[in-house]
Amino acid sequence: MFYAIISKDVDNSLPLRKQARPEHLARLEQLRDQGRLLMAGPFPAVDAENPGDAGFQGSLVVAEFASWEAAQQWADDDPYVKAGVYKDVEVLPFKAVMP
């Protein structure tokens, strides 16, 4: 089943994101290579494709996991969590309907 991992950043998270980004992306690439990643990306802090110094306010990952517990464990092990980027992470079951 798919799960949406919705994460919200702490204030001024950009320096923390930059430091942990390579490891964070490597985990997403692993999901992609396994055919389990539906989508992933950050929420810009301003209404712009490239928010520059404004940074980001959170992230969304939608991926397939064997259970809610497995999705939660994956989310808990995210390098952004360990680096203090996220102040809140929610894992919800997700039913892909479209496209």
Side-chain angles (χ1 to χ4, degrees):
M1 177 166 196
F2 284 106
Y3 294 87
I5 302 170
I6 305 161
S7 306
K8 296 182 182 170
D9 284 20
V10 298
D11 292 337
N12 303 310
S13 64
L14 191 57
L16 298 171
R17 275 181 170 268
K18 287 180 178 179
Q19 184 178 11
R21 189 170 190 264
E23 190 178 353
H24 172 79
L25 289 179
R27 293 179 81 237
L28 291 171
E29 290 165 355
Q30 185 178 36
L31 285 177
R32 180 200 60 205
D33 293 348
Q34 294 169 352
R36 297 171 43 207
L37 183 64
L38 185 62
M39 70 172 70
F43 300 118
V46 295
D47 189 12
E49 181 77 19
N50 181 354
D53 290 340
F56 300 93
Q57 58 183 327
S59 300
L60 171 67
V61 174
V62 180
E64 186 176 24
F65 294 92
S67 65
W68 179 88
E69 292 82 7
Q72 183 67 57
Q73 184 62 54
W74 189 91
D76 290 344
D77 290 339
D78 192 304
Y80 281 176
V81 170
K82 294 177 180 182
V85 172
Y86 296 148
K87 65 180 174 184
D88 183 55
V89 178
E90 185 174 16
V91 178
L92 299 171
F94 181 81
K95 182 177 177 179
V97 175
M98 289 189 180

